[in-house]
Amino acid sequence: MNEKRRKFLKTSALLSVAASSNLTTFAFGDEIKTGLVKDGEVLTAAYWGMMKATLKDGKIVGSKAFQTLSELENPLRDYTGELVYNKARVKYPMVRKSYLANPDSPKPELRGRDEWVRVRYEDAIKLVARELKKTRKQKGLSSVYAKSPAWKSSGNVHSSTTLLHRFMNLTGGFVGGLGDYSTGAGQVIMTHVTGSIEVYEQQTSWNSVLANSKVVVIWGSDPVTTLRVGYTSADEMALKYLEDLKKSNIEIIIIDPVKSETGKYFDKAKWLAPRPNTDTAMMLGMAYHLYQTGNYSKEFLENYTVGFEKFLPYLLGETDGTPKTPKWASEICTIDEETIKQLALKIYQNRTMIMGGWAMQRAHHGEQPYWMLVTLAAMLGQIGQPGGGFGFSYHYAGGGVPTALGGVIGGMNPADIGVIKDDKFIGYAKDVADEKLKKELDELSHAAIPVARVADMLLNPGKTIDHNGTRIKYPDIDFIYWAGGNAINHQQNINKNVKAWQKPRTIVVNEMYWTPTAKMADIVFPVTTPYERNDITMVGDYSNQYISPIKQLVEKQFEAKDDYQIFSDLCKAYADGLVEIYTEGGKSDLDFVKKCYDLAAKAVNGNPNLGISMPEFNEWWSKNEAIKFEATPESEEWVRFGEFVEDPILNPLGTPSGLIEIYSETIAAMNYDDCKGHAMWIEPSEWLGMKDKPASIHLVSPHPSNRLHSQLNQTSLRDKFSVAGREPIVINTKNAKALGIKNGDLVRVYNARGEVLAGAIVTDEIRQDVARLAEGAWYDPDANGLCKNGCPNVLTNDIPSSKLTNANIAHTALVNIEKFKGVAPKLSAFNEPKFSK
Ligand SMILES: Nc1nc2c(c(=O)[nH]1)N[C@H]1C(S)=C(S)[C@@H](COP(=O)(O)OP(=O)(O)OC[C@H]3O[C@@H](n4cnc5c(=O)[nH]c(N)nc54)[C@H](O)[C@@H]3O)O[C@H]1N2
Ligand SMILES: Nc1nc2c(c(=O)[nH]1)N[C@H]1C(S)=C(S)[C@@H](COP(=O)(O)OP(=O)(O)OC[C@H]3O[C@@H](n4cnc5c(=O)[nH]c(N)nc54)[C@H](O)[C@@H]3O)O[C@H]1N2
Ligand SMILES: [Mo]
C-alpha cells in the first residue's frame, strides 16, 4: 500500500493528538449518532470517489458520483447497494469445523475444503483471544504475522489494518512487513538514486505540464484506468487533467505491450509495444544514441548527478563487450532501431515529461527500468524544469493535481507494544525492564519481511535472505490475522501460497465477503461495509482537496460488526485494562471521527493566514457536505526537483552524494549479483527473447479497469465485461488464429505453476505473443486446482525481483493458451462455502 503516505498520515495524526491531549469527551445529540436517513440522498465516499447514495424506505437504491468533472467514465461508483446486499457476504461468525473440534490439531490441510460452523460472536472472540495467547506463550512473540498489507476501505477511523496493528501491538507485537505490492522495487531503488521514494511523491503540477511540455511519454502506465481510485478517495481532478491533455497540442507517446484504456482514449497518440520487461534495453539503446550523437546535457550530468563516467563504459560495451546500441536494443525489445533513435532525439529536443507507471518495476529486476529511466532523464537535462523530467505517480491517486491548503485529517494510530502479565496489561514494553522480553522484542523488530516474501517465509522458517544491504531471518509463523486484504488472491503463485497457508496452526480473517482468503481461514468475523458505519476521509491523496464524511447509510447487516468493535472486544477478552487504552476510555467510532475533524479544524481555524474556516463538527456532520480547499498559486506552478535544480548545494537530495546517483556506491558495496552499481539490462527469469522458453506467451496482469483488485468482482459490474462467464483475457489476433481461438471462446491458460479458465477477447490492440489477464478475479479452484474464474496469480511467479528489493514480479510470466474443450465447469467463486448442519 501507500506506505509512505500512510506513515505520513499516522505521524501527523500522532503529532496532532499530542498537541491536544486534553480533548477527551464529547457529547452528541442522538440524531447524529443514530439518525439514519430513510428517504433521500446521503454523501459518502470510497476509494473510487465521493458518492451520493439514494435511500428509499431505509434501503440503498442507487449511488452515483458526487460530481463528474471529466468525460472519462468511472462506473465503480454505481454499485454501493450491491456491495451491501450481496450474496457473498459473511453473515455470522464462522469457525472451520476441524478447527473448532480441536484447535490444537486443526487439520490445516483441510483449509478451503472443510465445512464451516456458525458460532456465537462471544464464543468466537473468546476462542481467538485464547488461541492467540496460547500461540505467543508456546511459540513466542515472533510467531504472529499480522502485516495485512492491503486495500481495506477508505476512512481514517475504520482502517482495519491500523486497527489490527493497534490490537496486536497492545497485546505484545507482531511480525510486520516491509514495502508493498505496488512499488516494492521502485520505492527502494529510488531511495538510493534520488534520495526519496518518488512513487508516492507529489509530481510536477499538471498545469506546468500542460503549459510547458511539448511531448508526454506515458511509459508502462494506464492512468485512464488507475486514476479511478485513490488511497484516500479519488478526486475528479486527475481525470479532468487527462482530458485536458487529450485536447492539448502536446504530442503523446505510449509505450506499453497492450493498447490499454489509456491507449484507446488517446487515439491520436503513437503506440509503441515493446516485449514486456525489456524497457531497460530500449532505454539503453536511446541513451547510447544520444551519447553517440552528442545530444545530451553534459551540464546536467556534471552539476546534478554522480557516476555517469562509471555507467558509460557499460553503455559503450567496454565492460562486457556489448555496446548498447539501438540495434542491440531493438533485438531485445523489438521496437525498430530507427524508432528508438527518433524517440531519443525527440525527447531530447523537446520539453518532455516522462510519466512512468509501476508495472515495469513489478517484474524480475524491476529496479533496472526505474534506474535507467532516471539515468535517461538526467541525460535529457530537463529534470526540475517546468513540464520536463520524469514522474512515477501521475497515474496514481491524482499525482500532479496541485495541493490545496487546508485541513488534513489524521487517523487511528497503531499504538506501542504493550506487555501482558497474568492476563493484565502492565504497561508498554519500552518501560518494562525484563531481559527475556527485551530479547524477544529485539527478535521481533528484526523480523519484518518484504511483503511479497510471505509465502516463502511461511514455508521456510529460519531461512535468511538478503534485503537492501541487510540480512533478514524468517520467523516461524504459527498464527496469522488478516483484516482488510485478499491475501490468497493478491500473492503471486497461488498454489505455493495455498501450501504456505497450511503451515500455521491458526488463521483469522475479518471480512465482509467470502473471498478466497476468508474461505482459507479457520475463524472468520463478519465485518460491516463502510456504508454501515461512520467515518471521515481526505479526498485526493496529493491534492487534499476535500474532507468528506463517509456516512452510515443503513443498519449493520446480519451479525456484521465494525473491525473497531471486534478488536475492542478482543482486547476485553485478552487482558484487563486493555480495552480502555484501545478505545481511549470508551470512545465510539463517531467520537473518533469528531476527534479527527476537530484536530483539523483547530489547525485551520487557528491560522488566520489561511483565510478559511471549518464549521463546528455537529453542524458540518448534519449538513451532508464535504469541505473544499483551494489549491495555492504556488502549488499550481510547482515543479518536482525545481528547488534542487535551482540550488543543489542548498537543496541537496537525500542520497549520500546529495545528487542523482547514476552510480551508487552504496548498492555496489552490497555486492549483489542481481543489482549492481548502475542500471543495466539483466534478462528476466521468463521473457519472450529467452532461450528454451518454458511457454510461448508473455502474460501481463495489470490492474483492472472495472474493479479495485478483487473488490467489486462480486457485483453485476462483472456481467458487463466478463467473457464466457469468466475474466476476459486479451489475446493477439495472430496468436488466436494459430491457436484456433475465436473471440468469446473459453480458453485454458496454463504453465508449470497452474492453470486457469478465461474468456478470449481477440484483438490487434495487444502485441503479438502477449496476453493480458487483469489481476483480481476471485480465485476459484476446482478439485484439481484449476481456477474457474481466471485469477492470474495462479500463473505468476513469486521469486523476488532482486536481493536489493525482494518485490513481487507479477508481470514476469510465460504461459500457454489453448481452446478449452469439454464441459465448462460452473463458477463457485461467489458462493458461500459448505456449512455444517
Ligand atoms: N498478478 C498481479 N497480482 C497483483 C498485482 C498485479 O499487478 N498483478 N498488484 C498487487 C498490488 S499493487 C496490490 S495493492 C495488491 C492488492 O491486494 P488487496 O489489497 O489484498 O486487494 P483487494 O481486492 O482490494 O482486497 C481488499 C479486501 O479487503 C476487504 N475489506 C474492505 N474493507 C474492509 C474493512 O473495512 N475491513 C475488513 N476487515 N476488510 C475489508 C475487501 O472485501 C477485500 O476482500 O494486489 C497485488 N497483486
Ligand atoms: N481502476 C483501478 N485503479 C487502480 C487499481 C485497481 O485495481 N483498479 N489499483 C491501484 C493500485 S493498488 C496500484 S498499485 C496502481 C497500479 O498502477 P500500475 O502498476 O501503473 O498499473 P498496471 O495496471 O499494473 O500497469 C500499467 C500498464 O503497464 C503495462 N505493462 C505491463 N508490463 C509492462 C512492461 O514490461 N513494460 C511496459 N512498458 N508496460 C508494461 C500494462 O499493460 C498496463 O497497461 O493502480 C491503482 N489504481
Ligand atoms: Mo497496489
Side-chain angles (χ1 to χ4, degrees), residues 483-602:
N486 203 342
I488 289 294
N489 235 65
H490 72 212
Q491 172 70 13
Q492 292 58 53
N493 196 346
I494 288 190
N495 284 317
K496 176 174 171 185
N497 200 24
V498 164
K499 277 201 197 94
W501 271 50
Q502 291 174 1
K503 166 87 198 358
R505 184 175 66 86
T506 309
I507 300 179
V508 188
V509 168
N510 289 6
E511 250 300 347
M512 305 151 173
Y513 311 100
W514 281 108
T515 60
T517 304
K519 284 176 180 163
M520 280 291 294
D522 300 317
I523 302 160
V524 178
F525 284 108
V527 170
T528 50
T529 65
Y531 318 107
E532 295 152 59
R533 59 200 192 200
N534 289 306
D535 213 328
I536 186 166
T537 185
M538 296 304 294
V539 179
D541 290 42
Y542 299 100
S543 68
N544 287 344
Q545 214 186 7
Y546 293 91
I547 293 176
S548 177
I550 302 179
K551 291 211 167 187
Q552 183 174 353
L553 305 176
V554 293
E555 298 291 352
K556 299 182 198 310
Q557 304 290 298
F558 306 101
E559 282 185 19
K561 303 257 186 310
D562 301 342
D563 295 282
Y564 179 62
Q565 179 77 50
I566 293 164
F567 291 121
S568 300
D569 290 332
L570 280 172
C571 281
K572 254 188 243 166
Y574 202 91
D576 290 341
L578 258 190
V579 71
E580 291 75 12
I581 301 169
Y582 193 87
T583 61
E584 290 186 6
K587 285 197 179 83
S588 71
D589 58 343
L590 202 53
D591 293 338
F592 275 111
V593 172
K594 181 177 187 305
K595 178 176 163 180
C596 291
Y597 179 93
D598 284 347
L599 288 172
K602 198 174 165 196

Side-chain angles (χ1 to χ4, degrees), residues 1 149-153 158 160 181-182 362 483-487 490-492 510-513 515 527-528 533 563 701-703 708-711 775 792-793 796 808 810-811:
M1 272 359 60
W151 276 74
K152 51 184 189 75
S153 287
H158 291 284
S160 55
Y181 282 83
S182 313
R362 222 176 286 116
N486 203 342
H490 72 212
Q491 172 70 13
Q492 292 58 53
N510 289 6
E511 250 300 347
M512 305 151 173
Y513 311 100
T515 60
V527 170
T528 50
R533 59 200 192 200
D563 295 282
S701 50
H703 289 236
L708 170 59
H709 314 298
S710 74
Q711 297 188 51
E775 55 108 4
N793 280 328
T796 54
N808 79 78
H811 287 291

Side-chain angles (χ1 to χ4, degrees), residues 184-206:
Q187 58 180 257
V188 173
I189 187 68
M190 280 300 110
T191 320
H192 292 290
V193 175
T194 61
S196 72
I197 59 171
E198 290 307 316
V199 289
Y200 307 132
E201 312 274 4
Q202 180 58 298
Q203 311 289 287
T204 294
S205 84
W206 271 106

Side-chain angles (χ1 to χ4, degrees), residues 1 76 151 181-183 200 219-222 224-230 255-258 260-261 274-279 356-363 395-397 698 700-710 772 775 811:
M1 272 359 60
L76 307 192
W151 276 74
Y181 282 83
S182 313
T183 63
Y200 307 132
W219 203 316
S221 174
D222 182 10
V224 168
T225 287
T226 55
L227 287 171
R228 285 179 174 184
V229 305
I255 304 175
D256 194 315
V258 183
S260 64
E261 295 307 313
R275 277 178 175 153
N277 298 188
T278 64
D279 304 272
W358 296 341
M360 63 179 135
Q361 56 86 57
R362 222 176 286 116
H395 66 288
Y396 178 69
H698 196 120
V700 290
S701 50
H703 289 236
S705 309
N706 289 314
R707 273 196 306 266
L708 170 59
H709 314 298
S710 74
R772 176 197 193 272
E775 55 108 4
H811 287 291

Side-chain angles (χ1 to χ4, degrees), residues 86-107:
N86 196 285
K87 76 175 178 42
R89 280 204 68 169
V90 181
K91 300 190 180 89
Y92 311 106
M94 301 295 282
V95 182
R96 190 168 63 81
K97 196 173 176 182
S98 311
Y99 190 93
L100 192 64
N102 186 359
D104 292 319
S105 177
K107 301 192 184 147

